[in-house]
Each structure stands twice: as C-alpha cells, then as structure tokens.
Amino acid sequence: MTANKPQNRYDYDVVVIGAGHAGTEAAAAAARVGAKTVLLTTNLDTVGQMSCNPAIGGVAKGQIVREVDALGGLMGEAIDATGIQFRMLNRRKGPAMHSPRAQADKKAYQNFIKFRIENQDNLDLRQEVVEDLITEPIAEGSDRLATQRVVGVQVRGDAAYYARTVILTTGTFLQAIMHTGKSQSAGGRAGEGTTAGLSGALHHLGFTLDRFKTGTPPRLNARTIDYAGLEEQPGDEDPQPFSYLNDAITSPQMACHIAHTNEQVHDLIRANLDRAPMYSGQIDSRGPRYCPSIEDKVVRFADKSSHQLFLEPEGRQNCEVYVNGISTSLPRDVQDAMFRCIPGLEKATIMRYGYAVEYDFSPPTQLWPHLESKAVSGLFFAGQINGTTGYEEAAGQGLLAGLNAARLVAAQTPWVPSRQDAYVGVLVDDLVTSGTDEPYRMFTSRAEYRLLLRQDNADRRLTQQADELGLIDAARRERFQNKRRDIERGNELLKAAKIQPPTGPVVRGDVYLRRPEVTWETLREQVPELGEIGKEAAEQCTIDIKYAGYIDRQQAEVHKQSRHAEKSIPVSFDYDRIGPLRTEAKEKLNRVRPINLGQAKRISGITPADLALVLAHLENHS
Ligand code: FAD
C-alpha cells in the first residue's frame, strides 16, 4: 500500500517484523549500533520461541552461533544461560569439525531472549500483527535498481509504524497451513495463526514467492516413558560455553536417551502411507532432504530395519520430551500406534502431535548480499522467509540484516563478511547467488575454507570488525583484547623456550609443540610461565602451531582467489552491452546482479570465459 494517514503513527529508523530468532537478533543489532528500532510481533509470549527442536548448535550450526556471539549477538549467551546439556560434536575429528551443540530449557531460553530485548537501549518491543507494507515510488534516475522504497508498515487496528527501513523476519508464518493426516488448519506453528496480508503485499510489490514445507515430531510426557531399558546419553564432562564472554558452564546437566524404531513401526507406517499428507498429494511443496520425516526414512531407506530416536527433555521444569528423529505428519491414531511398538515408549503419552507446515518463502536471489531487497529500497529479509531452516541460520541473517538496515539509515556502506571470514558469509552468499530449491541449512561442506572457519576462532575472525561496526560493548572488547594479548604472550613464551626432548637435540617450544604427541600441558611442565596463559588462548596457540601447514595453505588459496574476486561491479552495469557475452550468461547475471567478480563466478553456469568478458568490459570502461 502507499502512505496514508492512520490515526496512530509511530516513527522509527528500523522496524523489525517478527520476534523469532532472526527478528530478535536483527532488532538487537540495529539498536546496538544506535538506530531507533521497534520489534513488532504477533505475541509477546513467543519472543525467541523454538518452534521445533529445543536445541541450539550442531555441525556447522554451532559455528554460526559462535560467530553470532563474536559479533555481539544474543544466541550464545542465551544458550549458555539456559542450556541443560552441552556436547562438543566431532571431538575426535580435527578442530575444523568440532561443533558445539546444547539442549535448551525451551521456556527459559525464550525468557532470556525476551528479557534481553526488553532491556536493550534504543529498542521497543510491541505486540502487533503487521498486515501490510507502506511504500512509495522512487523517482527515476536513481542509480539503484529499486523502483519503490519502503516507508513503514500497517498493523492490525488503526496504527502504522513509519521507518526508513523495514526487516521482514516472519519465519514459517506466511500463508501457512499445518497438516496432521487429512486434518489441515491455517497456522505457522501449532496453536498460532498465519500471516496472509504480507504475502499479498509482497506479490503486489512484484516479489516472487515460492512454497516450502517442514515438519516436527510428537512430544511425549516424560513420566510415561520407561527409561530403564533405554541407552543414556550424558552431556560432556567439561561443557564448553558458546559465548566468548563465558569461562565455563556450571549448571547441572540433564541426560538424553536413545530409543529405536523397528520393523513393526515401519510396517505400520507403510500401511498408512496413503494417509500421510506428503504421499497422498495433500502437500507437494519441498522439504529439507537431510531432515526427513519418519515416513520419508521408511520409504527412502527401505532396507534399514531400525532408526535411532533421541529423547530430548524440553526443560528442567517441564515433562515434555522432544522425540528427535520421528518428525511426522501421519494422523494421530498412527502416531499413537507407532509408540506402542517402540521398546521403552509402549506406554508413552503424546502431549503434542507431530505435524507438517507449508509456508511461503521469498527466493533470496531477490536480495543483495547485505539482505536488502533489490526491488524495494530499505526492505530487508532475514531468516526462514529467505528459504533457510534452523534457528542459527536465522540468527546469523537477522544480525546482518539489522546491522545493515541501521547502516543504511546512517548512510553508511553495507557490511557483509566474506566466505573466508565466516559461515554467515557463506550462508548469505549461497542464498543471494544461487538461491535454494529446498530449505537451506548450513553444512561444513558448504564452506571452501573450513579450516579457517572454526568454532574456536570466531572471535579472532570477527570481533575486531564487530568493534569497528559498533556492535559490541566495552566488556566484550576488553575480554577480546586480553585474549589477543594472551595469545601473543603464549607465542613469545613458546618461541623463547628451549626444550630438551627425550631424545635428540634441544628445540624451541613452538617446534616441539608441532609434534603430534606433545600437548600444551606437557610443555607447561617444562615452561611454568605458560601457566599464566588462559585456557582459550592456549588452545589458539596450540591450533595455530599444530595446523600451521594446512592453515597457511588455505590462506594462500584465499589470497590467490581474491585477486580478481574483489573487483566490484556497479549496480547498474549493463551486461547486454557486452556483445560476445552468451545470452544465458546475460540472463543469469542480470537476474543475480553480482556485486563483484567473485560472486559472479559462483553463479552456476557462469564460465571463466564469461568472466573474462565482464572483466575486460569493466576495465575498459572504468
Ligand atoms: P520464526 O522463529 O518462525 O519467527 C517468526 C516470528 O514472526 C514469530 O514470532 C511470529 O509470531 C512473527 N510473525 C509472523 N508474522 C507476523 C506478522 N504479520 N506480524 C508480526 N509478527 C509476525 N528448523 C530446523 O532446523 N530443523 C527442523 O526440523 C525444523 N522443523 C520445524 C518444524 C516446524 C513445525 C516449524 C514451525 C519450524 C521448524 N524449523 C526447523 C524451523 C525453525 O523453527 C526456524 O528455522 C526458525 O525458527 C526460523 O526463525 P525465524 O526467526 O526466521 O522465524
């Protein structure tokens, strides 16, 4: 809609729509860098709610949480304060694969996030349902592609919020339909409604929308589970915090348990496939391949006679147990019957039935890398609305969108981490360059420089930049600087130390530490001053030294690749004027509008020859 004169008008720099994982990080980041921000959300009791799994982190996702934290975000501190079980996954593999994951006390997590939002300066939180976007045309002659500019949002009732920038983080709520068996209802999450108006508004503004689906498993009452025969899965003995602000996790940990499906369960599922919305044709949108429903698993892996189920408590003062591994939209009676056949769960009562949800998302190739839309100036998108799945992916995008919306208001250039700086950089580059044809989640395999993007060094990669951007406070700055000094001192001590190995000549401490059998602790016995170095700094010194060869090789590769990659391409660059450029290449480049040659190179189907033509044209006309 275009601007009108509502009865109640509120003015801000940044309006964020939706207080999920993307929205809360977006609002907090915009406010931290000084923008007058409001976060509007349907229900204040669901701020920061985990729609599905009560867990944060995991492979590649844990790395994103560490990055969000290194940039001053909320997620790391929230899970540290409210986690009930912490595990470092892939501990036996190299450091690039180490990935922190924690079960959360779901309600406590949500309250923590809400409290932080309520206490953030420059930020108002308000319960509102946003129904429309207010835009106005941009006069011709602007050097941007956009023909419209967002100026605010219309909410249900007689009020509008005006702002220079608006961030859409509405998750699974656009035109959402939930399915359990043949039963369907409108809503983006059990017990909640859907958002219809915004899909219409986006269509009206010329955006393409597509549909995805995702599913969730049933929740059981812990009291009705027979844990005696189930395998216990404890947390780590020395749990590691997610936040660089915390030294340790001291809260008591809770155990998870493992159960198994069997042929009886699989037969039951096969016999009822015609009642499963995904197989009966009731749902035809695409879901996450790597996170299949139990129906999918039984069909796709027909030779497997059993699948693992992880029973994950949803909180300390809560009997609900999340059954990870059995996401389903089968009818209620089949869900009940499945558990009757699973040892340990024969008497389990379902507290919430599993369901699938279909929703609109906005293909992210419609965005610039800083997450502003190409068509409507000032309108940003972050989170599940961009076709991603997962709290962590949402949080990373949210933080970036919030920061860049505030920077646009302040007439500053956007900031986007590169693929070699952060998984968040990989995430947004993949999204805006290639789009996604299934819900996108992060994997370590998506990052070409994963030895550089470790969970342990996110602060060394990002916190200095976060400080320059105004994203972090004095306490974090001081902690980071102390750690950096500690790392330097550790390296000096190692270089100065003369070590006598059991055999052979005396060697320097750093040379000795390169040996696979030598650890920081063994060295400390011979160099007592190393005891002054903090645990995290000692870990960094050790990794830097032990993996120096691999790290140097990746850094050299980054250097080589970035020679031409950083050459920027003007927004209004006219690909059609490059005569010899293939029509297919013109179409793709016009659609994606890469901001530099590096991004152009990553567009599928763009060849080195196409790039050479673009480069030549750029150089001849600059
Ligand atoms: P959300 O967390 O959904 O937050 C959106 C917020 O916007 C909500 O607070 C909502 O109330 C608010 N909102 C919506 N419309 C409006 C409006 N018009 N006005 C004001 N406020 C509005 N992820 C996985 O990684 N694995 C899974 O297996 C998985 N399964 C899922 C199953 C289900 C049933 C659902 C619903 C989600 C699942 N997810 C899963 C996804 C995960 O929940 C999301 O990726 C994550 O929550 C996305 O964060 P977000 O901030 O983008 O959106």
Side-chain angles (χ1 to χ4, degrees):
M1 69 181 285
T2 45
N4 60 4
K5 286 203 175 67
Q7 195 182 347
N8 297 291
R9 173 185 171 126
Y10 309 96
D11 289 282
Y12 287 89
D13 295 328
V14 179
V15 169
V16 182
I17 311 173
H21 308 275
T24 49
E25 293 289 355
R32 281 204 304 281
V33 297
K36 187 180 171 213
T37 305
V38 67
L39 173 55
L40 307 177
T41 199
T42 330
N43 182 350
L44 287 191
D45 296 327
T46 60
V47 173
Q49 176 152 320
M50 296 173 159
S51 311
C52 190
N53 194 343
I56 294 288
V59 177
K61 288 165 170 274
Q63 281 84 329
I64 295 181
V65 183
R66 298 280 275 165
E67 290 174 1
V68 167
D69 182 72
L71 291 165
L74 310 173
M75 192 169 247
E77 284 186 79
I79 185 64
D80 284 355
T82 63
I84 58 177
Q85 191 205 70
F86 291 77
R87 291 174 65 214
M88 184 63 78
L89 307 181
N90 290 332
R91 236 186 230 281
R92 294 210 188 107
K93 299 188 179 163
M97 298 305 287
H98 294 183
S99 304
R101 181 182 190 276
Q103 293 297 129
D105 182 318
K106 190 170 145 175
K107 272 283 156 207
Y109 182 92
Q110 201 187 315
N111 286 337
F112 183 99
I113 294 279
K114 179 162 181 260
F115 193 61
R116 286 294 292 268
I117 293 289
E118 289 165 341
N119 280 287
Q120 174 67 50
D121 290 341
N122 297 327
L123 177 57
D124 292 333
L125 173 64
R126 194 167 286 174
Q127 184 162 303
E128 299 277 19
V129 179
V130 177
E131 299 203 312
D132 207 349
L133 301 169
I134 308 172
T135 57
E136 61 184 30
I138 297 179
E140 273 188 37
S142 150
D143 63 349
R144 302 173 67 113
L145 293 180
T147 52
Q148 295 277 315
R149 131 176 351 111
V150 74
V151 292
V153 302
Q154 177 68 47
V155 298
R156 187 172 296 167
D158 191 10
Y161 290 74
Y162 282 81
R164 293 271 310 282
T165 56
V166 171
I167 309 177
L168 267 171
T169 63
T170 46
T172 50
F173 286 79
L174 293 191
Q175 303 262 45
I177 302 176
M178 293 180 291
H179 303 254
T180 299
K182 290 210 162 59
S183 139
Q184 291 181 31
S185 55
R189 196 159 52 194
E192 296 179 52
T194 180
T195 294
L198 285 176
S199 285
L202 291 173
H203 271 305
H204 184 71
L205 288 167
F207 285 92
T208 301
L209 297 182
D210 202 345
R211 271 176 99 63
F212 276 162
K213 67 154 192 262
T214 187
T216 196
R219 273 63 153 185
L220 304 177
N221 187 323
R223 226 169 29 83
T224 61
I225 296 173
D226 179 7
Y227 285 104
L230 300 178
E231 184 189 333
E232 190 181 81
Q233 191 185 45
D236 286 346
E237 274 173 24
D238 177 22
Q240 184 204 285
F242 278 83
S243 175
Y244 288 97
L245 294 178
N246 295 328
D247 290 324
I249 301 292
T250 50
S251 53
Q253 300 215 36
M254 290 177 74
C256 295
H257 289 81
I258 301 177
H260 296 90
T261 63
N262 50 37
E263 280 297 0
Q264 227 184 323
V265 178
H266 300 183
D267 286 345
L268 188 69
I269 293 171
R270 278 187 210 107
N272 285 284
L273 275 180
D274 59 328
R275 300 171 70 203
M278 252 124 40
Y279 289 91
S280 62
Q282 189 173 310
I283 301 182
D284 63 359
S285 39
R286 284 149 291 148
R289 228 176 337 131
Y290 38 79
C291 194
S293 64
I294 191 71
E295 301 89 287
D296 264 332
K297 287 187 200 172
V298 167
V299 173
R300 274 168 46 194
F301 312 109
D303 53 329
K304 281 197 84 174
S305 56
S306 172
H307 294 283
Q308 271 192 332
L309 304 177
F310 296 89
L311 304 181
E312 302 174 341
E314 295 223 338
R316 293 188 196 280
Q317 283 147 356
N318 186 337
C319 281
E320 282 188 71
V321 173
Y322 178 92
V323 191
N324 196 341
I326 197 165
S327 163
T328 185
S329 56
L330 280 159
R332 286 163 175 246
D333 58 294
V334 183
Q335 296 190 31
D336 284 324
M338 285 194 301
F339 288 116
R340 299 289 83 80
C341 314
I342 299 177
L345 307 181
E346 298 93 335
K347 298 200 173 117
T349 3
I350 295 181
M351 295 180 73
R352 300 184 205 228
Y353 285 91
Y355 63 95
V357 58
E358 276 187 291
Y359 54 92
D360 283 352
F361 76 98
S362 164
T365 46
Q366 301 174 100
L367 306 177
W368 297 115
H370 60 283
L371 299 179
E372 184 186 6
S373 92
K374 292 171 184 166
V376 179
S377 174
L379 181 62
F380 290 72
F381 291 65
Q384 192 117 356
I385 191 172
N386 283 342
T388 59
T389 175
Y391 312 132
E392 306 78 3
E393 289 83 349
Q397 291 171 68
L399 193 149
L400 206 58
L403 168 69
N404 283 315
R407 288 182 71 80
L408 182 64
V409 171
Q412 293 164 322
T413 52
W415 180 80
V416 184
S418 67
R419 294 181 74 93
Q420 60 264 24
D421 282 337
Y423 273 98
V424 177
V426 174
L427 170 69
V428 293
D429 184 58
D430 281 353
L431 291 175
V432 305
T433 308
S434 312
T436 182
D437 55 11
E438 64 180 312
Y440 178 107
R441 70 155 284 187
M442 186 48 77
F443 295 110
T444 47
S445 56
R446 295 198 193 269
E448 52 278 57
Y449 306 118
R450 54 184 172 274
L451 197 49
L452 305 181
L453 306 188
R454 304 185 312 269
Q455 65 82 28
D456 62 83
N457 69 353
D459 57 342
R460 291 171 79 193
R461 291 185 270 123
L462 297 168
T463 299
Q464 180 63 45
Q465 294 189 68
D467 194 12
E468 286 155 21
L469 293 161
L471 279 169
I472 64 168
D473 62 13
R476 189 181 288 271
R477 179 183 312 118
E478 195 184 324
R479 219 178 137 93
F480 174 65
Q481 287 170 347
N482 287 343
K483 178 170 162 186
R484 212 156 52 175
R485 271 195 293 273
D486 238 14
I487 296 171
E488 279 165 22
R489 170 101 179 108
N491 283 330
E492 281 164 14
L493 287 171
L494 286 171
K495 283 192 181 131
K498 300 277 177 280
I499 307 290
Q500 175 60 66
T503 56
V506 168
V507 290
R508 262 180 15 204
D510 56 330
V511 176
Y512 191 48
L513 187 55
R514 256 182 243 152
R515 298 184 182 189
E517 73 283 7
V518 178
T519 63
W520 184 268
E521 284 66 38
T522 33
L523 262 176
R524 213 170 55 185
E525 287 162 17
Q526 303 195 44
V527 188
E529 299 95 308
L530 288 179
E532 298 159 19
I533 308 299
K535 187 173 154 201
E536 283 185 25
E539 185 191 24
Q540 291 304 293
C541 294
T542 308
I543 293 174
D544 286 351
I545 287 171
K546 286 201 182 287
Y547 294 89
Y550 301 101
I551 293 172
D552 290 349
R553 225 172 297 150
Q554 271 201 356
Q555 261 155 355
E557 181 63 18
V558 168
H559 192 68
K560 195 171 115 201
Q561 294 294 337
S562 60
R563 261 187 41 239
H564 282 319
E566 280 163 20
K567 176 114 191 131
S568 57
I569 307 177
V571 166
S572 51
F573 187 75
D574 187 358
Y575 294 100
D576 296 328
R577 278 178 48 206
I578 311 179
L581 191 60
R582 295 173 311 123
T583 310
E584 182 199 339
K586 281 180 187 160
E587 270 170 24
K588 287 185 168 165
L589 290 161
N590 271 320
R591 181 164 41 83
V592 176
R593 296 243 144 234
I595 57 164
N596 55 34
L597 278 184
Q599 193 191 355
K601 187 177 169 195
R602 292 188 292 276
I603 301 173
S604 115
I606 294 297
T607 65
D610 299 330
L611 289 173
L613 287 170
V614 175
L615 177 62
H617 203 80
L618 281 171
E619 286 182 339
N620 291 341
H621 294 83
S622 58

